[in-house]
């Protein structure tokens, strides 16, 4: 018995660790807000931060509520990345009452290459996007902030150039 447990433990240890995650900006209390008659795209992000291998993730709808759709496909998520975007289209029919709420659920699962003879355990995740219908929705403008370090470096370079110009002008006058 000990030998079998040891052998099984070694097999698990020798295999690489694989894990993926789904990042969503939408959760209960921070709904995806959309107006009646509008079509907008919510973005989910796939990440693969554990292990050293790329992962193939199948994306599919679990509960579309009649308003959600996703391109059911397999995404390649490279190792050590967190920027694979999965667009989810949300369509709200005209005449939908304000404050109507929906819960769109998207499924994700790992896909093994197959044919290698090795046993592969698939991992699955579900993500819910809470959707709330509002009167008017203004598209959010994404403003990218400049890091403090960049501003500091530019200021130092400008100061050094100003000192150099001052020194050259002063030197010519002599």
């Amino acid at each position: 018995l000990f030998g079998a447990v040891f052998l099984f433990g070694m097999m698990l240890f020798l295999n690489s660790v694989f894990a993926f995650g789904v990042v969503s900006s939408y959760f209960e209390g921070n709904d995806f807000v959309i107006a009646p008659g509008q079509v907008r795209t919510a973005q989910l992000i796939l990440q693969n931060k554990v292990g050293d291998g790329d992962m193939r993730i199948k994306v599919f709808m679990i509960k579309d509520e009649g308003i959600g759709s996703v391109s059911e496909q397999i995404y390649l998520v490279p190792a050590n990345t967190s920027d694979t975007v999965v667009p989810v289209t949300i369509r709200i029919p005209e005449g939908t009452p304000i404050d109507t709420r929906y819960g769109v659920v998207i499924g994700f699962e790992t896909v093994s290459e197959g044919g290698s003879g090795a046993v592969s355990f698939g991992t699955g995740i579900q993500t819910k996007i809470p959707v709330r219908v509002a009167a008017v929705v203004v598209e959010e403008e994404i403003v990218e902030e400049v890091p403090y370090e960049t501003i500091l470096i530019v200021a130092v370079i400008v100061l050094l150039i100003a000192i150099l110009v001052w020194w050259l002008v002063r030197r010519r006058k002599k």
Side-chain angles (χ1 to χ4, degrees), residues 34-107:
I34 185 168
Q38 204 173 30
V39 177
R40 293 186 56 211
T41 302
Q43 291 188 347
L44 302 175
I45 307 293
L46 295 176
Q47 61 182 11
N48 177 8
K49 299 300 253 176
V50 178
D52 56 0
D54 298 347
M55 298 190 76
R56 293 167 22 117
I57 308 297
K58 180 181 179 186
V59 178
F60 55 95
M61 291 301 301
I62 293 176
K63 183 178 176 188
D64 67 10
E65 293 270 17
I67 63 165
S69 64
V70 66
S71 173
E72 294 191 11
Q73 65 179 33
I74 295 175
Y75 288 81
L76 177 65
V77 184
N80 299 310
T81 62
S82 59
D83 59 357
T84 304
V85 176
V86 176
V88 180
T89 303
I90 307 292
R91 288 179 172 82
I92 301 297
E94 287 285 349
T96 302
I98 302 303
D99 286 330
T100 300
R101 294 185 175 273
Y102 300 96
V104 175
V105 181
I106 299 93

Side-chain angles (χ1 to χ4, degrees), residues 1-172:
L1 179 65
F2 175 77
V5 171
F6 178 77
L7 182 60
F8 182 74
M10 286 303 292
M11 286 173 42
L12 289 176
F13 178 76
L14 292 175
N15 285 331
S16 297
V17 175
F18 295 106
F20 76 96
V22 179
V23 179
S24 175
S25 299
Y26 315 107
F27 48 87
E28 296 300 329
N30 191 39
D31 303 336
F32 182 82
V33 181
I34 185 168
Q38 204 173 30
V39 177
R40 293 186 56 211
T41 302
Q43 291 188 347
L44 302 175
I45 307 293
L46 295 176
Q47 61 182 11
N48 177 8
K49 299 300 253 176
V50 178
D52 56 0
D54 298 347
M55 298 190 76
R56 293 167 22 117
I57 308 297
K58 180 181 179 186
V59 178
F60 55 95
M61 291 301 301
I62 293 176
K63 183 178 176 188
D64 67 10
E65 293 270 17
I67 63 165
S69 64
V70 66
S71 173
E72 294 191 11
Q73 65 179 33
I74 295 175
Y75 288 81
L76 177 65
V77 184
N80 299 310
T81 62
S82 59
D83 59 357
T84 304
V85 176
V86 176
V88 180
T89 303
I90 307 292
R91 288 179 172 82
I92 301 297
E94 287 285 349
T96 302
I98 302 303
D99 286 330
T100 300
R101 294 185 175 273
Y102 300 96
V104 175
V105 181
I106 299 93
F108 305 86
E109 61 185 31
T110 56
V111 177
S112 63
E113 294 292 329
S116 65
V119 176
S120 176
F121 298 100
T123 304
I125 296 176
Q126 293 182 6
T127 298
K128 179 180 178 183
I129 300 176
V131 178
R132 181 173 49 89
V133 179
V136 177
V137 177
V138 178
E139 291 290 328
E140 299 174 9
E141 183 177 328
I142 299 174
V143 178
E144 195 170 316
E145 292 186 24
V146 178
Y148 174 76
E149 293 82 12
T150 304
I151 295 171
L152 186 61
I153 290 170
V154 170
V156 169
I157 290 172
V158 168
L159 182 63
L160 289 175
I161 291 172
I163 291 171
L164 181 64
V165 169
W166 174 79
W167 181 75
L168 288 173
V169 169
R170 188 170 176 236
R171 191 168 169 220
R172 281 194 177 166

